[in-house]
Amino acid sequence: MKRARYTTWNGLVSNLEVGDILFIQNVKTLSKLVRYVTRSYWSHVGMIFEIMHADTQNRIVLVIEAQDAGIEIHCLHNYVNRLGINRIGVKRLPGLTEEHTQKIRGFFLNEVDTPYDYRRMYSYFLSALIARISGFDMSDFFIRKGVTLENFVCSSFVQRAFYLALPPRDRDRAVFRQGKNINLLQQLEVCSPTDIAKSTNTEWLWNPHR
């Protein structure tokens, strides 16, 4: 895995951009289960929503994410205070234009207060657990049974934001889940934090882990 672009936290924060992807390693029991079934260092993912104040000293970074209560906005420093910088990672999809980021912001604002998709999460868990135990992929079945396109889990929210922001001819580079014999719906709606972490279409800015 390549090294991160920034070696200091202050260097990272002073160069964050709207649309950068935030990874979280949480210590809660449910988060540990997510990490187990996905075989990932990360249990949660969100995106940089807005950056207030240009100077580094007073900079406020807002993060948007699909949490238990739905789509919410929080300050990055709250995560730093609670988890520390070693349980936070950041990646970037290169080549985003101002038009792309405006579309991402529009998607964010349109989805604020959208309920969290618990049914999808349970489907993910069951599908991933079966795959880990038996090696049999049932994700297509669970998509048809468990996915509600109007709601999100954390990683499908991030995936959808990028996919809709880019023009159709350029969307392939915004699809993070790759693999043989999976269709576009599986790529978009069964995307996990580890799929985004592993994606070679994105660049690590801070704390690279899969």
Side-chain angles (χ1 to χ4, degrees):
M1 185 178 297
K2 294 182 179 180
R3 293 183 179 181
R5 179 187 294 190
Y6 300 103
T7 57
T8 67
W9 181 256
N10 287 339
L12 166 73
V13 172
S14 63
N15 288 281
L16 285 172
E17 299 176 359
V18 172
D20 286 343
I21 307 164
L22 182 75
F23 294 85
I24 296 295
Q25 187 201 70
N26 217 319
V27 294
K28 295 180 180 179
T29 301
L30 182 60
S31 299
K32 290 180 179 178
L33 182 58
V34 171
R35 292 172 56 203
Y36 171 76
V37 298
T38 61
R39 304 182 184 185
S40 179
Y41 184 85
W42 307 110
S43 56
H44 181 67
V45 64
M47 294 179 71
I48 304 302
F49 169 68
E50 191 58 272
I51 298 170
M52 304 171 64
H53 306 302
D55 58 300
T56 303
Q57 186 175 359
N58 297 310
R59 176 168 284 206
I60 298 174
V61 179
L62 300 180
V63 177
I64 191 165
E65 56 195 346
Q67 281 277 24
D68 297 352
I71 305 300
E72 300 178 346
I73 299 172
H74 301 284
C75 289
L76 176 61
H77 70 75
N78 291 336
Y79 282 110
V80 176
N81 293 338
R82 179 163 54 89
L83 299 171
I85 61 176
N86 293 324
R87 287 182 174 157
I88 294 173
V90 183
K91 294 190 87 176
R92 175 175 295 163
L93 181 67
L96 292 181
T97 66
E98 180 61 27
E99 181 181 0
H100 297 151
T101 56
Q102 287 300 329
K103 287 183 178 180
I104 288 172
R105 282 192 182 98
F107 173 77
F108 288 163
L109 293 172
N110 189 59
E111 301 300 335
V112 167
D113 294 330
T114 297
Y116 189 79
D117 196 344
Y118 282 101
R119 182 178 178 183
R120 182 196 304 239
M121 177 59 72
Y122 299 144
S123 297
Y124 280 4
F125 278 143
L126 189 55
S127 175
L129 190 60
I130 291 173
R132 179 151 190 176
I133 293 172
S134 69
F136 187 67
D137 183 5
M138 296 187 64
S139 59
D140 187 54
F141 171 80
F142 284 108
I143 282 177
R144 288 183 273 109
K145 295 293 184 180
V147 166
T148 303
L149 296 180
E150 291 76 17
N151 299 339
F152 304 96
V153 294
C154 66
S155 47
S156 68
F157 178 69
V158 170
Q159 174 62 90
R160 191 90 63 87
F162 281 116
Y163 190 77
L164 294 178
L166 270 62
R169 67 179 182 277
D170 203 23
R171 284 175 174 168
D172 284 349
R173 71 184 185 92
V175 176
F176 302 123
R177 186 182 183 218
Q178 301 296 328
K180 296 180 179 179
N181 302 319
I182 58 174
N183 57 41
L184 181 60
L185 185 63
Q186 288 174 298
Q187 288 179 307
L188 297 182
E189 303 302 330
V190 192
C191 179
S192 69
T194 189
D195 290 321
I196 303 173
K198 290 179 179 178
S199 174
T200 57
N201 295 346
T202 51
E203 172 193 2
W204 279 106
L205 304 182
W206 179 259
N207 197 17
H209 284 87
R210 294 180 178 178

